Amino acid sequence: MHGLTVRDVLQLPIMKEAQCLTQAGFQNPVEWASIVETAGKNFVRKNECVLTLGIAFQHDEQKCLDFTKDVIASGAAALVIATGLYVQTIPNSLIAFCERHHFPLITIPWYVRFADVSHAISVALNEKEKKIVQSSDKVRKKLLDFVLNGEGFQAIASYVEQSLQLPTIVTDRRGVIVTTSALSPSFADQWNAHLLRYGDPLYYVEEQKNTASPPLHHMNMHWIAREQSTLLQLTIQSAREVLGFLVIEWPHPKQEQGGIEEETFTLLEHALTSLALCFLHDKTAKETELRLKDDFVWNLAQGKYHSHKEAITRAKSFGYRLNIPYLCIVATIENGETVYEQQQRKYFSFDDWLDQWSKTLEQEVYLAGRTLHMQTMSTFQHHQLIIFLEVMANNPMESAYPFIELFQYRLHQKNPHLLLSWGIAKTCEKYAFHTSYEEATAALESGRRHHHAGFIHTYEDTQLDRALLALLENDELKKMTEVLLAPLLKYSVERKINLIHTFQVYSHHNCNVSKTARALNLHRQSLSYRLRKIESLTGLKLDHADDLFLMELAIRLHSFQHANKYPSSSPT
């Protein structure tokens, strides 16, 4: 539905005696009518139909020309001059000037009242506006019905394609085609070729930032020049993010904003809104499915299914196979808050950052597994990425390490600053999900005690930790450890000299005084003083094998129990 034009005004009954002296500008939009006798700056609005009796210029041809120049310069839609009262005839020079500027010059008998003309134009404008609103509402309801009836992307794209008779496709935010065109099967090939060249359908955003020209319209529109046609790319977006694109094959020459009719803009606006609803609906459904999958995998890890049959039935609904060996791998982000601080402008909060990156990690688990032809199940719980990886039962590590290596490579491409630590289970028997998860968690916790962030630690590496954990269950041994080390801990706090750390370095260097002194950056006499102080406080002799073993055991038990956290002191 077009807006009111000069041609429409000329067809009004009140204008039946009017005569247009020029042959151009009939499609100029008319937004209002005003009566002007003295033109000047800001006297006339753009797209106004100007009515004048010619009082200001009457028989002066130059003044008449100057008046018309001012009207044209203001962007008026047309000039209507009443003849027979103040102006008898229109100078040929004025007609020629208006022709050169493709401007409608209209005459009307002086006895036709301007008030009636203005009123008729106002009524026509209201009628046109009413019809435009009705047409817009009809299109909106039609497109909304497609969404509510579950017909989705294809129905909306087909409606746009049939309305415009132009090939139309819908893509997701990465440019992957969601619908195909019935009018032009080759259109998909053109779009894919464009993507192959530029890679990212959002590349033009940066391009537009570097140009002085403003956006074509309040819709995010972009023209893409092709050899045989022009592609019109419109962004489908929600309040927070780009969801996808509506792409239309536009014939040459490409039409800029002024050449696209208002009804086409209305159609495209409603189409973009409806497509956004489709994307959001699909996104919500997908997120619900992902939450259910997360809950299922988390319940497997916790051992909450009472029978294999119950778990298998639930797994089938998600496309998982449980009757194959799985190995549990647990990872944790070590530097999440640091990375968030570097990127916080892109996120509402740390929780928002973590939520989005947890989804990215799970997606990368799936893609890495698919690349290696391995079944994967994953969930992100309590800041941990929990993965069940299909493995070969006779040698699970031959599957685990290549998977982690590929995963970390892919993750590095997305964010080279993100640092993960890993724990790998040992058990990979069928349906042993809970046992495998506990082993992977134990491996991760053990790795934290022995390595810097970014480690990969297996359950088989935790034998010493498991032995110490078993010893800690002995109350008498725990009490003996506390009594033996209490004087050393008290001394460390009071004198700010960490004697426990001194002994650890001494033991690490096989009780070699020279090597220990160099490692602690101490003089041999200072180190000897510390060692004698340890002996005096504990009553043990460090040159006695049994006493040395008892001291080593006590410190290892204490170290394991407190995760290597001693009173702050200088290690030297």
Side-chain angles (χ1 to χ4, degrees):
M1 181 63 63
H2 305 283
L4 193 70
T5 65
V6 172
R7 187 185 303 279
D8 296 326
V9 170
L10 288 171
Q11 293 174 351
L12 295 174
I14 193 69
M15 300 292 287
K16 64 182 180 181
E17 295 185 62
Q19 182 181 3
C20 188
L21 304 181
T22 56
Q23 302 300 315
F26 294 117
Q27 294 302 317
N28 287 356
V30 176
E31 296 179 358
W32 199 246
S34 61
I35 302 170
V36 178
E37 293 302 334
T38 303
K41 187 176 182 180
N42 298 326
F43 268 67
V44 178
R45 293 188 307 179
K46 186 178 180 180
N47 297 332
E48 274 192 346
C49 182
V50 177
L51 310 174
T52 184
L53 290 170
I55 297 174
F57 48 84
Q58 295 191 31
H59 307 295
D60 191 325
E61 184 173 333
Q62 187 57 47
K63 286 185 177 181
C64 179
L65 186 61
D66 292 340
F67 177 87
T68 304
K69 286 180 179 179
D70 289 340
V71 170
I72 294 176
S74 69
L79 175 61
V80 180
I81 302 176
T83 55
L85 185 60
Y86 296 102
V87 176
Q88 302 301 321
T89 59
I90 304 299
N92 290 330
S93 60
L94 180 62
I95 298 173
F97 177 79
C98 291
E99 282 284 10
R100 287 197 302 273
H101 288 81
H102 308 287
F103 183 72
L105 179 62
I106 303 167
T107 59
I108 193 171
W110 66 271
Y111 50 79
V112 178
R113 293 188 301 181
F114 280 176
D116 293 338
V117 174
S118 178
H119 178 264
I121 291 176
S122 297
V123 171
L125 283 168
N126 289 335
E127 287 297 319
K128 282 284 186 180
E129 186 65 29
K130 184 178 178 181
K131 289 179 179 178
I132 289 173
V133 170
Q134 289 174 342
S135 176
S136 174
D137 194 49
K138 182 179 178 181
V139 171
R140 180 185 60 80
K141 288 181 178 179
K142 183 70 175 179
L143 292 171
L144 186 59
D145 284 342
F146 290 144
V147 178
L148 297 177
N149 294 333
E151 298 176 67
F153 299 107
Q154 189 63 58
I156 296 171
S158 296
Y159 182 81
V160 173
E161 188 170 72
Q162 292 170 10
S163 299
L164 300 179
Q165 285 299 296
L166 296 173
T168 302
I169 59 173
V170 177
T171 80
D172 66 13
R173 68 187 311 276
R174 295 171 299 172
V176 177
I177 295 175
V178 177
T179 69
T180 55
S181 168
L183 291 179
S184 177
S186 63
F187 186 23
D189 295 332
Q190 292 186 48
W191 174 253
N192 288 330
H194 168 71
L195 277 188
L196 189 63
R197 179 179 178 184
Y198 292 101
D200 185 356
L202 285 169
Y203 83 94
Y204 69 85
V205 174
E206 294 299 324
E207 177 187 282
Q208 286 185 345
K209 288 180 181 178
N210 298 325
T211 60
S213 59
L216 294 173
H217 195 260
H218 59 280
M219 290 183 291
N220 199 339
M221 299 171 58
H222 177 63
W223 294 101
I224 303 170
R226 306 293 297 169
E227 292 182 2
Q228 302 299 325
S229 62
T230 299
L231 305 185
L232 175 59
Q233 179 182 335
L234 301 104
T235 304
I236 305 165
Q237 60 188 41
S238 65
R240 293 180 56 180
E241 61 181 330
V242 172
L243 302 172
F245 301 94
L246 176 64
V247 187
I248 302 171
E249 185 178 19
W250 217 268
H252 276 318
K254 80 175 184 182
Q255 301 186 40
E256 300 294 346
Q257 180 181 355
I260 298 181
E261 299 170 354
E262 186 65 31
E263 62 179 325
T264 301
F265 276 121
T266 300
L267 169 65
L268 296 178
E269 283 179 322
H270 290 316
L272 292 177
T273 301
S274 301
L275 289 169
L277 290 175
C278 288
F279 274 112
L280 291 174
H281 175 271
D282 285 5
K283 182 180 179 182
T284 302
K286 187 174 182 180
E287 287 178 348
T288 301
E289 181 183 0
L290 289 175
R291 281 198 300 272
L292 292 174
K293 283 186 173 182
D294 280 350
D295 292 343
F296 170 74
V297 177
W298 181 228
N299 287 335
L300 278 181
Q302 292 180 298
K304 288 190 174 181
Y305 288 105
H306 302 297
S307 68
H308 298 334
K309 184 178 180 180
E310 179 186 1
I312 291 171
T313 302
R314 188 68 172 155
K316 283 183 178 179
S317 64
F318 300 123
Y320 291 146
R321 293 183 296 132
L322 298 188
N323 60 340
I324 55 177
Y326 284 95
L327 181 72
C328 187
I329 304 173
V330 176
T332 186
I333 300 174
E334 297 285 12
N335 60 340
E337 292 188 1
T338 302
V339 176
Y340 164 69
E341 289 175 1
Q342 297 170 353
Q343 304 175 342
Q344 59 181 327
R345 291 183 179 180
K346 301 179 181 179
Y347 303 94
F348 294 106
S349 64
F350 175 73
D351 288 339
D352 179 49
W353 177 89
L354 186 63
D355 179 63
Q356 294 196 40
W357 269 103
S358 67
K359 293 174 182 175
T360 300
L361 293 178
E362 288 196 61
Q363 178 69 8
E364 290 303 319
V365 167
Y366 167 76
L367 293 174
R370 187 178 67 177
T371 301
L372 297 174
H373 306 289
M374 297 175 181
Q375 175 93 13
T376 58
M377 300 185 293
S378 65
T379 183
F380 194 89
Q381 303 288 340
H382 306 295
H383 295 222
Q384 285 187 343
L385 176 64
I386 303 165
I387 305 166
F388 287 104
L389 176 69
E390 176 190 359
V391 295
M392 296 178 291
N394 58 339
N395 197 344
M397 294 305 160
E398 285 191 4
S399 302
Y401 280 107
F403 173 83
I404 293 175
E405 183 179 355
L406 176 60
F407 179 93
Q408 300 223 105
Y409 171 78
R410 293 180 59 89
L411 185 63
H412 184 79
Q413 306 306 308
K414 290 182 175 292
N415 192 332
H417 306 292
L418 212 57
L419 185 63
L420 269 64
S421 293
W422 300 81
I424 306 176
K426 178 182 178 181
T427 300
C428 58
E429 299 172 1
K430 292 181 181 179
Y431 308 114
F433 299 104
H434 180 54
T435 301
S436 190
Y437 167 67
E438 287 190 324
E439 290 178 354
T441 302
L444 183 65
E445 292 174 354
S446 175
R448 285 180 176 275
R449 287 188 286 269
H450 297 287
H451 305 288
H452 295 295
F455 61 82
I456 300 177
H457 203 65
T458 69
Y459 186 68
E460 290 185 338
D461 298 330
T462 66
Q463 293 179 2
L464 176 61
D465 283 358
R466 282 181 279 148
L468 294 174
L469 185 62
L471 291 173
L472 280 172
E473 294 178 0
N474 187 302
D475 292 336
E476 184 178 354
L477 188 57
K478 285 175 61 177
K479 186 175 181 180
M480 183 192 70
T481 300
E482 291 172 0
V483 171
L484 185 64
L485 298 183
L488 300 182
L489 294 171
K490 182 180 178 182
Y491 185 89
S492 297
V493 172
E494 292 177 350
R495 303 294 298 273
K496 304 299 181 183
I497 298 176
N498 195 333
L499 294 180
I500 289 179
H501 178 68
T502 300
F503 177 81
Q504 285 179 312
V505 178
Y506 179 67
S507 175
H508 177 74
H509 289 284
N510 299 315
C511 303
N512 185 302
V513 175
S514 298
K515 290 183 179 179
T516 304
R518 283 196 297 271
L520 292 173
N521 197 24
L522 290 174
H523 193 275
R524 283 176 58 92
Q525 290 182 344
S526 298
L527 176 60
S528 296
Y529 170 79
R530 289 191 183 188
L531 295 176
R532 289 195 299 271
K533 178 60 68 175
I534 292 173
E535 290 180 333
S536 67
L537 291 174
T538 61
L540 301 177
K541 297 295 182 181
L542 298 185
D543 57 355
H544 192 285
D546 290 343
D547 286 358
L548 189 66
F549 170 75
L550 184 59
M551 187 70 178
E552 177 77 26
L553 178 61
I555 288 181
R556 282 186 177 272
L557 288 172
H558 184 271
S559 173
F560 180 79
Q561 187 176 14
H562 297 278
N564 284 329
K565 293 180 181 178
Y566 299 109
S568 62
S569 61
S570 172
T572 59

